[in-house]
Structures are given as structure tokens and as C-alpha cells.
Amino acid sequence: MASFISASSFAAATRLPNVVFILTDNQGAWTLGCYGNPDIRTPHVDRLAAAGLRFTRALSSNPVCSPTRATYLTGLIPSQHGVHSYLGGEKPNAQVGPEAYCVIREFPSLPSCCARRLRLRTGGKWHLGANLTPQEGFRDWITMPLATPRSSTTPK
């Protein structure tokens, strides 16, 4: 038995979906209406949760932002990628200035794989060092502590 697929149906079958991954910093599920909090109003997040995917049995690799972000971007836990606290705490020179560096430089990241292999446009809050330059496949990013949207002309 032979199977044939036309070029147009192959192109339609290989179209990649748009993916928006939202990671909020330092926020427990108990602080959101979509998880049952009757006192705190979060209508926009609740609407996103109703239309998307909501995790009900998940936990964070670390209670603060930088280690959790490094885990999601590399797939490694803090003891593997080495980011154990927010940047500015244990790694004060990583963010900005002449000594700034990417704290997960030696690991492949989800954005770099998406940008290089799948040719997807990626962006988000970086906050993993060297905030004033594009990092790890991010074409568009928000720097910290400046919170200024930045854009790179060529994805890394």
C-alpha cells in the first residue's frame, strides 16, 4: 500500500501552533480566582485559564523567579543548572555592567531550540543575567531591573 501527500496538505500538516507560556513570579495558586480564591479578583488570568491549559497538580522547582525560569528554559533542576536564588542575591554581577553574564550559557534552552531548529520567534522576560543583550534564542525580551522591552534584529 502506498501513501501520497500533496505539498499543500504537507504544509498544512506541518504548521506549528502559536504557543504562549505564562510563568508568573512568586505567585502561589491560592492567589488566583481560577484556583478558587473568592477574595482576590484576577479576571484576566481567570479568562486565560478557562480558555487554555491550567495545571492542577504541578509544583515549582524553587519558590523564587530566577531558578524557576532557568528550570523551565533548560529542563534542568536548580542543582543541575546552578541557579538557586534570584539574581542580585547570590549572583549580583550577573545582571548588568561589565561583569554581566548568562547564568545558563552552557545549557541548551527551550527558546534557542525553538529559534534555531523550528525557526520560531521567541520572547519573554529573561532575568537570567546579561539583561542588556539578547540571550538564548530570545528575539524580543524584557530586561530586569530596567523592565524595558528590547528587540534583537537577529535571533541567537
Side-chain angles (χ1 to χ4, degrees):
M1 181 162 110
S3 296
F4 297 97
I5 186 166
S6 71
S8 61
S9 62
F10 178 75
T14 60
R15 273 194 208 122
L16 297 172
N18 290 323
V19 175
V20 177
F21 176 78
I22 298 173
L23 171 68
T24 59
D25 289 346
N26 311 325
Q27 180 178 24
W30 64 270
T31 64
L32 298 170
C34 62
Y35 284 96
N37 187 312
D39 301 319
I40 300 174
R41 290 179 177 80
T42 55
H44 300 297
V45 174
D46 296 348
R47 189 169 48 251
L48 285 170
L53 178 63
R54 187 171 56 93
F55 295 101
T56 58
R57 290 183 301 208
L59 48 105
S60 174
S61 62
N62 194 289
V64 296
C65 58
S66 298
T68 300
R69 185 173 291 104
T71 291
Y72 277 109
L73 295 179
T74 65
L76 303 171
I77 60 175
S79 61
Q80 293 172 306
H81 57 59
V83 183
H84 299 281
S85 185
Y86 69 94
L87 296 185
E90 69 181 38
K91 299 177 187 277
N93 297 325
Q95 297 288 15
V96 293
E99 297 177 23
Y101 62 97
C102 170
V103 297
I104 59 169
R105 179 177 313 146
E106 66 270 25
F107 305 109
S109 72
L110 179 61
S112 64
C113 292
C114 288
R116 287 187 194 132
R117 295 181 190 157
L118 302 175
R119 303 253 187 245
L120 298 176
R121 182 175 177 163
T122 60
K125 177 182 171 187
W126 178 244
H127 200 209
L128 287 169
N131 289 336
L132 301 180
T133 58
Q135 296 289 329
E136 298 299 319
F138 276 67
R139 178 176 170 181
D140 300 298
W141 73 102
I142 296 174
T143 65
M144 292 299 290
L146 303 176
T148 304
R150 306 265 177 168
S151 185
S152 168
T153 55
T154 56
K156 276 189 159 182

